[in-house]
Amino acid sequence: MRIDPAGWPFIAGPLTPAALLATGARLTGRRWPRLAAWPLLGLAAYMAVFFRDPDRRCDTTPPGPDDVLSPADGVVMVAGEPQEGVAPGDAPEGGWQQVSVFLSVVDVHVNRSPYRGEVVESSYRKGSFLAAYRKESAHRNERSEVRLRDGDRTVVFRQIVGVLARRIVTRTGVGRTLATGERMGLMKFGSRMDVFVPRECAIAVTEGQRVRGGETVIARWPATR
């Protein structure tokens, strides 16, 4: 199983003292070091699962040219009209539709680009750490935003931290070209991702639906190319 590089410090943290305790148990014959090692081993195993980075269909089969894919695993919170309660001017300018995906602490947290194109804008904004399922988190929480452009097509997506997520990793920047479904970062320990597409796109998911990053089509452009 592939592990995202950002996960190794979190795995090694509990694994190192667990190994020392297990070694002490063997050398001394005492039972308590072995018992104390088990919770640490369990934590290391959870970290390995949390930072897992499985391959998805987009890694072997090119997505359709008009498909916008889910950028993450999780449950759809918003699908269609921009979220009610988002502060005026907070959504990207123009007529947009929104798809938001909530990631729980057991979902894959590696993030993927929902569409292809050149990164024409990239920004990071500090903020609060509200629970990611609350609507206020869309405009109050810490986030990273990326704007992609492919010809006359533009997609904007955001990594937004949640109550447990305290670090956004964005592995792209202005001038970089991303492919649909390409890995571009991750968020640590619970979060959400918002994708904004123009109104001409057809939304392909519904609220409450489970989606898989790099596989589930969340919207489609009109087939004009």
Side-chain angles (χ1 to χ4, degrees):
M1 179 175 63
R2 181 189 292 112
I3 302 296
D4 188 273
W8 288 114
F10 292 88
I11 298 169
L15 192 60
T16 300
L20 292 174
L21 286 168
T23 300
R26 288 197 301 270
L27 294 176
T28 64
R30 294 180 179 179
R31 185 182 180 188
W32 71 263
R34 185 178 295 108
L35 295 176
W38 280 112
L40 294 171
L41 287 173
L43 180 58
Y46 169 74
M47 291 300 176
V49 171
F50 180 88
F51 287 101
R52 67 196 185 278
D53 181 12
D55 286 334
R56 292 294 164 81
R57 188 181 305 122
C58 64
D59 297 318
T60 56
T61 303
D66 303 314
D67 291 347
V68 180
L69 301 184
S70 176
D73 289 18
V75 176
V76 176
M77 299 170 50
V78 181
E81 290 298 313
Q83 189 171 7
E84 182 181 356
V86 173
D90 189 62
E93 295 180 2
W96 295 82
Q97 300 179 91
Q98 177 182 349
V99 176
S100 297
V101 178
F102 172 73
L103 296 75
S104 75
V105 293
V106 297
D107 286 314
V108 173
H109 271 60
V110 172
N111 303 148
R112 294 171 177 267
S113 177
Y115 197 61
R116 65 179 185 270
E118 180 184 356
V119 177
V120 294
E121 292 181 27
S122 180
S123 62
Y124 175 79
R125 192 194 73 180
K126 293 185 177 181
S128 303
F129 297 94
L130 302 175
Y133 55 79
R134 293 176 55 178
K135 64 182 182 182
E136 301 96 321
S137 67
H139 58 91
R140 290 179 56 185
N141 280 20
E142 190 163 327
R143 74 190 190 201
S144 174
E145 179 174 297
V146 175
R147 184 181 293 259
L148 287 176
R149 185 171 296 152
D150 179 42
D152 59 351
R153 294 181 172 183
T154 299
V155 171
V156 177
F157 62 98
R158 293 173 176 161
Q159 299 167 286
I160 303 175
V161 300
V163 66
L164 294 177
R166 299 288 164 157
R167 177 80 188 278
I168 295 174
V169 179
T170 304
R171 298 178 178 135
T172 190
V174 174
R176 171 83 180 273
T177 298
L178 296 176
T180 304
E182 181 179 346
R183 296 171 175 87
M184 52 68 57
L186 80 160
M187 294 174 288
K188 299 176 182 178
F189 309 113
S191 40
R192 65 182 278 176
M193 290 199 73
D194 290 353
V195 180
F196 297 90
V197 296
R199 292 193 176 277
E200 63 190 279
C201 294
I203 301 298
V205 291
T206 57
E207 292 183 16
Q209 178 179 338
R210 280 206 61 88
V211 292
R212 284 168 61 89
E215 291 192 359
T216 306
V217 176
I218 61 172
R220 283 190 175 91
W221 293 87
T224 58
R225 297 187 177 185

